[in-house]
Amino acid sequence: MAMKPWCWTVLLSLLACSTSPQGEGTRRMAARLAQIAREQDVAVNYFLNGARVEYYRNQKPPADPLKRLEFDANLAKELLYAGQTEEAIALFRKVQPQAERYRLKSKPSIEEMLALSYLRLGGQDNCMLQHNPHSCVFPIAGEGIYKNQRGPRQAIPAYTALLEKDPADLASRWLLNIAYMSVGEYPQGVPPQWLIPPQTFASDYDIKYFPDIAPSLGLDLLSLAGAAMLEDFDGDGFLDLMVSAWGFNDQLRYFHNQGDGTFAERTEEAGLTGIVGGLNMNQADYDNDGDPDVLVLRGAWFGEQGRIPNSLLRNNGDNTFEDVTEAAGLLSFHPTQTAAWGDYDNDGRLDLFIGNETMPNSPRERFHPCELYHNEGQGRFREVARENGLAVVGFVKGVAWADYDNDGDQDLYLSRFTEPNLLFRNEGSDGQGRWRFAEVSRQAGVSLPLRSFPTWFFDYDNDGWEDLFVAGYETIVGWAIVQDVVADYLGLPTEAEPCKLYHNRGDGTFVDLSQQAQVSKVIYTMGCNFGDLDNDGWLDFYLSTGNPDFRSMMPNRMFRNAGGQFFQDVTTAGGFGHLQKGHGVSFGDLDNDGDQDLYAVLGGAYTGDLFQNVLFENPGHGNHWITLKLEGVQSNRAGIGARIRVRVAEPQGMRDIRLTVGTGASFGANSLQQEIGLGQATAIEEIEVRWPSGEVQHFSEVEMDHFYQIREDRDERVPLQRRQFSLTASGGDMHAQH
C-alpha cells in the first residue's frame, strides 16, 4: 500500500504556484522527491507510522482471537509511534487483560508499552505543548517539572509493578526515576531500592550553564531527526542557520541572521520549496566561487525503501540556492546519511566521498557500494570509487577525511555498523590516471568498535597529529539500549561497545586511550560534533544520543577537554542533557562575541517522535580567541583540509593550538570559519597555515580577540570588521551591540 498523505497534494500545489526563484534543477528534484514519497510502501517502511495506523485500520481484523490480539497490540504500538498516545493507551488497556489470558509473549511486553505510553503522554503534555527552555533537560527539575502530571502519575505505579516482577530491570528502574523527576519528587520520593542517586550524574567540572535561547529567537523548530548547519551563506559576516529533518515531507529550512539578534526565515525566497528530507547535511565550496554550497543526504535506515537521491544545492551568492545534483553528475539512488568533502589528489578542487548503506546479509542485487566523486571542475563530478578501490560495501554510518600520517594528502576513515571499520591510507597516483588507497585499519589499530556510528578526526592534545574518535552503538538491536546506558552509569557490566578514542602515535599507528581519557562510556551516539566551549584552546565534544525505541530516554552528553589529558563530563553543569533524541550538531559563533554557541536538532525517527530544537548560548569564560576565515587559491577556496597552528605566549611559557579546517564530525556541520580559543594567552606569537597545496604561510603581529581573513597567495592577514550583538531576548526585544 503506497502512502498518499494529503500533505503531498498541498506541497505540489505550492510548487506549482510558488513565486520563489527556483530553477529547473530544483523543480525537478522537488517533483522527484514528491513522487518517491507517494510510492513508499507502508507495509515495509516501519517509520511511516501515521500512514501505518491508517493501513491497519483499513485491514479486516483477524477472526482468530489470538491473531486479533496480536493485531490490536501492533496497532496500539503504531498509534504510540505516530504520536496518538491517548488512543494507544486506551487500546493497550484493552489488550492487557487479554494478553495475560493468552500469555502473549512480546518484547517489550504490553505492560512495558503501557507504562511507556503514560510516560510519553507526560512528555507531550508538558515538554512539547508547554515547552520552555528547561523542558526534558536531565535531570528534570525546577521549571522543567511537569505542570500536567496525569501521564507520569500513571507511569509511576506501572513501572513499580514491573520492578516488583523483575528487580533487575534496569530500563524500568531508569524510567521510574525519570517519572519521579517529572513530578518533582526525585530523589526523595523514589523507593530506596529503585533510586538512581543524583551523584551518578554529577558533572566532573563546572562549565557554567548554557541557556537554551531557541524559543526566544523562534528557532525551536518542532521536527524529527535531522541536521543543523551554521554558516555565513551570503558573506555578510553573520552565521546563518539551515535545518533539515528526515521525514518525506519535511521541508529544508533556511534562517538568515539579520545581524541584530534576530533571524528571518528565507526558505521560500531562497528557492528551497520542495527540497525535503535529509537526515544529515554538510557544506563545502565545491565550485570555488567563494560561496558555501550544501549537500543534503537521504535514505538512511530505510533499506531498499531508501533509494532516494541526495541534493547538491549550489549557493548563487544572493541568498538563493539551486539544486544542481543532476547537472553536477551526482544523481544516484542509494540510502545514506554520511559523506565527507576532501581534495584527495590536491588539485585544488574538493572531491566527495559518500558512505552508502548495505544492510547486513543483503543479496548482491541489494548492494549499495560507497561512491567517490572526483571534482572535474566546471561544476561537474565523475564517480571513481571502483577504479580507486573505495567502492566499499557495508552498512556505513560515518566517514571522515584527514591527513593522519602528515604526508600531505587526505586519508579516509569509514565507520561501519556490524563490521570492522576501515582506514584507507592515501598512496597517491599510480601514474596511469588512478589513485591508490591502501586499507590499513588493522595495522593502524583502529578497526573497532564493530557496531559503531559517527566518527571524526581531531588533534585533541595539540601535538600536531590527527587523533580519531569513533562512537560505539548498540549490541542487541532494539531492546538493550537503556539497560546498557544505565549499567554504564552505575558501573555494572555491559556487553555494549563503548566509545573509542585513538591517539595518533605519529608512526602510522594509533593507541586506544579511551579508558585513560575517560571516554570509554556506553553512549548511543547519533549526531555529534566538536568545538571549544570555554575557549581554552582544547577541543571539547558533544554527543547527541538516541535510538528509535521510545524507551531510549538518555541524556545527550557534553565532554570538556582537560588540557589534552582526559575528558570531563559536563552535561549536567552546562544544562546540555536533553532526554529527547539528538541528531545534527553545529558549533558556531552566532553573535560574533568570540565564543561558540551550539545548535542541535532534537527529535527521533518515528512519525510522532517530534521535539523542539535547541540553541545553547555560550555564557562566556573570559578567555581570549581569534577567528580565521581562509581563502584558498591553489588549494580549494574554503581551505578544507588546511592545518592551522597558533602559537601563543602564556604566563607559563609558549604553547601551540591546532585545528584543521572542516565542518567537524560525521553527523553535524560546524561553520567553516575557524573559531579558535586562546585561553589565558598574553599574545599571539605566530600563526602558521599549511595549505593542501603544500604552501606554508606564517603570520606574526596578529591581535587576539579579532577576526581575520587569510588568503593563500598573500603573506598578509586582512582584519574583518564584524559587529557583535546579543542573541538573548529581553521582553521580546533584541539589542545590538556595536
Side-chain angles (χ1 to χ4, degrees), residues 488-521:
D488 190 60
Y489 265 125
L490 296 174
L492 301 174
T494 172
E495 295 182 0
E497 294 189 87
C499 299
K500 292 288 186 183
L501 179 65
Y502 292 109
H503 181 259
N504 192 330
R505 288 189 173 112
D507 61 359
T509 68
F510 295 77
V511 59
D512 182 357
L513 292 185
S514 311
Q515 289 284 354
Q516 297 93 314
Q518 301 178 21
V519 299
S520 182
K521 300 178 185 295

Side-chain angles (χ1 to χ4, degrees), residues 416-418 449-453 471-477 497:
R416 299 193 297 177
F417 188 57
T418 73
L450 289 177
R451 303 178 75 92
S452 59
F453 204 147
Y473 205 65
E474 63 195 15
T475 51
I476 304 174
V477 177
E497 294 189 87

Side-chain angles (χ1 to χ4, degrees), residues 20 97 102 116 119 143 151 157 164 192 258 313 321 358-359 364 419 422 468 536 564 611 650 675:
S20 64
Y102 285 97
L116 179 62
L119 198 57
E143 294 180 43
E164 288 170 348
Q258 304 285 79
L313 304 176
F321 297 83
T358 298
M359 301 295 283
R364 182 170 292 275
E419 299 176 88
L422 304 174
L468 176 64
D536 64 352
F611 201 73
E650 295 182 324
E675 299 151 352

Side-chain angles (χ1 to χ4, degrees), residues 377-413:
Q378 304 301 314
R380 291 285 300 176
F381 292 83
R382 180 170 60 92
E383 209 286 304
V384 297
R386 187 170 300 280
E387 65 188 72
N388 291 325
L390 292 178
V392 174
V393 174
F395 201 26
V396 180
K397 300 306 297 179
V399 298
W401 291 103
D403 181 10
Y404 82 92
D405 52 2
N406 283 356
D407 66 351
D409 50 34
Q410 295 292 297
D411 312 296
L412 181 67
Y413 187 78

